[in-house]
Amino acid sequence: MLTIKKMISEEIERILKGINADAGLDSGTVCSMLEYPPDEKMGDLALPCFKLSKVLRMAPVKIAASIAESFSCEAVDKAEALNGYFNIYLSGEYLAKKIAAEVAEKGDKYGAPTELGEGKTVVLDYSSPNVAKPFHIGHLGTTVIGHSLKKLHEFAGYKCVGINYLGDWGTQFGKLIVAYHKWGNAEAIEQGGVDALVELYVRINNAIAEDATLADEARAEFRKLEDGDEENIRLWKWFVDISLAEYQKTYKQLGIEFDSYKGESFYTDKMPAQVQKLRDMGLLKIDDGASIVDLEEYGMTPCLILKRDGSTLYPTRDIAAAVYRKETYDFDKMIYVTSAGQSLHFAQWFKVVELMGYEWYDKLVHVPYGTVSINGAKLATRTGNVILLRDLFAESIAKVAAIMDEKNPNLENKEKISEEVGVGAIVFYYLSNNRIRDINFMMEDALSFEGNTGPYVQYTYARTCSVLSKSPDYDKNAALTITSTDETSLLKTLSRFEEVVREAIAAYEPSVVTRYILDVAGAYNRFYHNCSILGAESEEIKNTRLVLTDAARTVLGNAFGLICLAKTEKI
Ligand code: ARG
């Protein structure tokens, strides 16, 4: 659509220059003013002429009429002035010629704004669970939004580095070590994995609530770990490995791989230099024994750098990590995806980085998201009473498997497909909302094959594959014969893909893609129901409809890839 918009804008530029050559209106400006009317009856594109009336010193109604008078463009069937709008109706024949050919030619690159990221690097910090704590649905957001942003940037030609900044350091390891010595046994932990660790963690927290001396013991064990005690390091590594092995299972189901797992522990020896720099620059203030950076001037509470006992904090590590990553990857942008609860933390230390004189401070982006509850129930983290991602996926997969048994009992590969659809249902449902909104997860809604769900769009994808497999010898290069508005509608929807991708990247908002997928699925299904494909009136029409089906499959597939949704060829 962008190329068509450009063509139209150039023609309008020509006319506007005729009205007033000195107004300085170029096609780029016109192009950015073109809108998609809310109702197709009012055209496929519209130019709201009131936006031009000031520069041209002319009433919108008159501008629209003047454009309509001499407008001519091969991509346009009809164009008319109405109430100060210039409404444009695209030619189905032209769309068929251009869009279908473009999709066929570009294939898995169709829709990619590749010049956007050329030669640029983006670092994405996402998922980042805290070791030996449960990987629960609170992490769903950072994991799937983060990965989707990575895929979107890759699609746009950026070089991407996905970092899982594991929470693998901190006093919780002191607690775990104490708990392990008191109640743990190696075999049970090897077998029970993260669950066994979480159990120990919950138990020690309860014990500490009764007996405060245990907290001192835990602090002492953590100190030993920091000082490099061999046995404690061994235990710590083991806890990290066990946790990671468990997380990997979930990542695998989602098709996620990280480029780096450098977690918080990696930065222990990189913090002193930054603390020293802060001190040298006179940015540190002692407040009740702790070292802070005062941010009152910027309307924020202070950023904590060192505790009273001299130990470092979460912001200290983030600052050191950012400096290290700038040196290592020389990023053009670094994106952090976390819950909105951490927004202040990021605003604070981004400011500190700026005050430290790092000129790349404005390349740091925090992407927050809202809270998740399930079937109305809020989460409780501290008590260990949480819904694990693993269990959520397992439940969804089991339910999908049951539906499949009923609907399509002879399906081959049922296990794999149930997994793809079960996981996809959750991902799609989650990413259907604007990320900042709090969401209440309703399992029934997510799994429905009828609503605006993952199963529905995956089913639509499978439908395109099934149609094409029944008549694989169509000719992608033949001239197309458009006979139905459902065909034109589908083409128009397909033509919007690149703009959708650009919008999703600009707003860091995967839901833009999710909603677009629903548009494509809707347009394809309307076409499928109203236009007979395999039994079409003539060979030309049949070929046209197969080519359109192929184009819909390509666009759906490309878009699925952007939001961690598997391309299910059969359901
Ligand atoms: N581990 C943290 C948590 O679970 C998230 C880390 C986010 N990334 C960062 N660089 N601070 O809350």
Side-chain angles (χ1 to χ4, degrees):
M1 188 62 89
L2 279 174
T3 28
I4 295 178
K5 272 185 166 178
K6 232 176 110 196
M7 261 169 78
I8 292 172
S9 307
E10 278 161 11
E11 169 66 358
I12 295 178
E13 173 188 86
R14 183 188 67 79
I15 301 168
L16 294 179
K17 288 234 162 97
I19 299 176
N20 181 350
D22 304 325
L25 287 165
D26 60 9
S27 59
T29 317
V30 174
C31 192
S32 68
M33 288 177 180
L34 287 176
E35 290 175 357
Y36 291 108
D39 181 354
E40 266 191 29
K41 287 197 200 81
M42 290 154 67
D44 302 309
L45 288 168
L47 182 69
C49 296
F50 67 88
K51 291 192 175 169
L52 297 166
S53 58
K54 206 164 161 202
V55 211
L56 292 173
R57 301 192 196 193
M58 215 169 143
V61 175
K62 259 190 98 183
I63 301 174
S66 314
I67 301 175
E69 219 173 76
S70 64
F71 182 88
S72 146
C73 171
E74 80 173 301
V76 175
D77 252 356
K78 185 175 94 174
E80 61 190 14
L82 186 73
N83 301 333
Y85 278 81
F86 178 60
N87 293 339
I88 299 159
Y89 300 78
L90 298 173
S91 142
E93 294 293 332
Y94 185 84
L95 281 169
K97 200 165 81 193
K98 287 288 170 192
I99 305 299
E102 196 185 335
V103 180
E105 185 202 317
K106 294 192 174 157
D108 61 6
K109 292 275 179 308
Y110 176 75
T114 37
E115 89 295 344
L116 209 61
E118 220 174 68
K120 296 199 185 117
T121 300
V122 174
V123 171
L124 298 106
D125 174 316
Y126 65 102
S127 199
S128 312
N130 295 325
V131 167
K133 288 192 191 168
F135 195 28
H136 57 76
I137 60 158
H139 294 109
L140 183 62
T142 171
T143 306
V144 300
I145 295 169
H147 197 64
S148 173
L149 293 178
K150 184 178 179 208
K151 288 287 170 195
L152 277 161
H153 281 85
E154 271 171 0
F155 196 50
Y158 289 90
K159 178 172 178 269
C160 292
V161 185
I163 300 183
N164 193 327
Y165 182 64
L166 286 175
D168 60 359
W169 204 243
T171 41
Q172 80 258 34
F173 289 97
K175 290 184 189 172
L176 263 183
I177 292 170
V178 173
Y180 177 68
H181 289 322
K182 276 177 95 65
W183 311 296
N185 93 52
E187 212 177 311
I189 290 179
E190 284 295 347
Q191 290 214 333
V194 151
D195 294 348
L197 293 180
V198 171
E199 213 179 289
L200 281 180
Y201 188 67
V202 171
R203 191 162 170 193
I204 188 76
N205 274 324
N206 290 336
I208 287 173
E210 305 274 303
D211 174 3
T213 62
L214 281 174
D216 295 331
E217 264 182 56
R219 258 192 293 277
E221 290 297 352
F222 182 58
R223 200 16 33 124
K224 267 169 72 186
L225 177 62
E226 281 189 303
D227 292 341
D229 177 84
E230 230 171 84
E231 171 62 6
N232 279 10
I233 295 237
R234 186 185 70 79
L235 286 173
W236 163 75
K237 276 216 177 96
W238 183 45
F239 296 155
V240 172
D241 287 346
I242 283 176
S243 306
L244 203 50
E246 174 81 32
Y247 306 150
Q248 298 281 18
K249 290 185 202 154
T250 303
Y251 293 141
K252 196 158 165 243
Q253 286 182 314
L254 286 163
I256 295 182
E257 276 171 31
F258 289 93
D259 303 295
S260 160
Y261 282 93
K262 285 196 169 70
E264 296 191 33
S265 68
F266 180 75
Y267 297 99
T268 37
D269 64 350
K270 294 172 181 57
M271 284 181 282
Q274 300 309 317
V275 175
Q276 193 55 44
K277 182 171 159 77
L278 281 164
R279 199 173 281 128
D280 292 346
M281 293 181 80
L283 287 166
L284 281 192
K285 236 168 95 174
I286 305 298
D287 182 58
D288 197 18
S291 303
I292 61 160
V293 178
D294 189 354
L295 297 174
E296 203 184 337
E297 208 179 306
Y298 311 101
M300 286 184 275
T301 49
C303 184
L304 307 175
I305 301 295
L306 296 175
K307 280 195 226 168
R308 234 190 306 184
D309 64 5
S311 55
T312 56
L313 285 136
Y314 189 41
T316 330
R317 269 190 291 282
D318 259 325
I319 294 168
V323 173
Y324 173 85
R325 291 171 185 173
K326 182 66 193 167
E327 282 165 5
T328 309
Y329 304 112
D330 193 22
F331 53 76
D332 295 277
K333 194 154 72 170
M334 174 145 68
I335 296 169
Y336 296 86
V337 186
T338 79
S339 75
Q342 298 197 29
S343 294
L344 177 63
H345 161 74
F346 284 96
Q348 286 174 320
W349 76 260
F350 286 0
K351 193 68 188 175
V352 172
V353 165
E354 180 183 350
L355 295 173
M356 289 171 89
Y358 289 116
E359 79 290 350
W360 41 267
Y361 73 92
D362 58 351
K363 297 182 164 35
L364 306 176
V365 184
H366 179 227
V367 175
Y369 59 88
T371 60
V372 184
S373 47
I374 292 203
N375 296 337
K378 281 262 174 225
L379 296 175
T381 26
R382 288 229 156 232
T383 51
N385 171 26
V386 292
I387 296 156
L388 301 179
L389 268 186
R390 179 188 69 197
D391 297 344
L392 181 67
F393 286 158
E395 187 185 337
S396 175
I397 293 166
K399 289 205 161 132
V400 168
I403 297 173
M404 299 239 185
D405 272 338
E406 200 186 306
K407 288 197 170 177
N408 193 356
N410 301 322
L411 185 67
E412 277 172 50
N413 243 335
K414 218 181 313 177
E415 224 168 276
K416 179 163 170 273
I417 296 170
S418 308
E419 180 169 59
E420 290 177 347
V421 177
V423 171
I426 290 180
V427 169
F428 194 88
Y429 185 80
Y430 181 79
L431 289 180
S432 298
N433 289 283
N434 277 5
R435 61 177 158 74
I436 202 67
R437 274 185 46 196
D438 294 342
I439 89 161
N440 177 23
F441 213 104
M442 303 299 274
M443 198 59 143
E444 291 293 307
D445 296 350
L447 290 179
S448 151
F449 272 69
E450 268 92 51
N452 288 336
T453 62
Y456 160 71
V457 299
Q458 284 179 314
Y459 185 76
T460 305
Y461 183 84
R463 169 172 279 166
T464 62
C465 296
S466 149
V467 169
L468 295 171
S469 72
K470 285 183 192 137
S471 185
D473 298 322
Y474 50 97
D475 178 4
K476 286 195 200 183
N477 299 312
L480 303 186
T481 311
I482 298 295
T483 49
S484 150
T485 51
D486 291 308
E487 295 165 329
T488 318
S489 237
L490 173 61
L491 280 163
K492 283 182 213 159
T493 310
L494 299 181
S495 74
R496 272 175 33 225
F497 188 33
E498 182 180 334
E499 284 167 271
V500 164
V501 172
R502 286 176 185 273
E503 190 188 331
I505 291 176
Y508 304 100
E509 187 62 85
S511 66
V512 173
V513 177
T514 314
R515 278 194 292 269
Y516 174 69
I517 289 175
L518 288 171
D519 288 348
V520 177
Y524 183 76
N525 284 322
R526 268 189 303 280
F527 155 77
Y528 177 86
H529 287 299
N530 296 336
C531 305
S532 168
I533 302 175
L534 299 172
E537 303 89 294
S538 73
E539 277 308 309
E540 288 76 39
I541 297 178
K542 178 175 165 189
N543 194 68
T544 298
R545 293 180 178 167
L546 287 166
V547 171
L548 291 181
T549 299
D550 194 356
R553 175 179 65 173
T554 302
V555 173
L556 283 175
N558 290 2
F560 284 11
L562 299 175
I563 60 162
C564 320
L565 205 62
K567 294 192 249 177
T568 41
E569 290 179 11
K570 280 198 180 126
I571 287 193

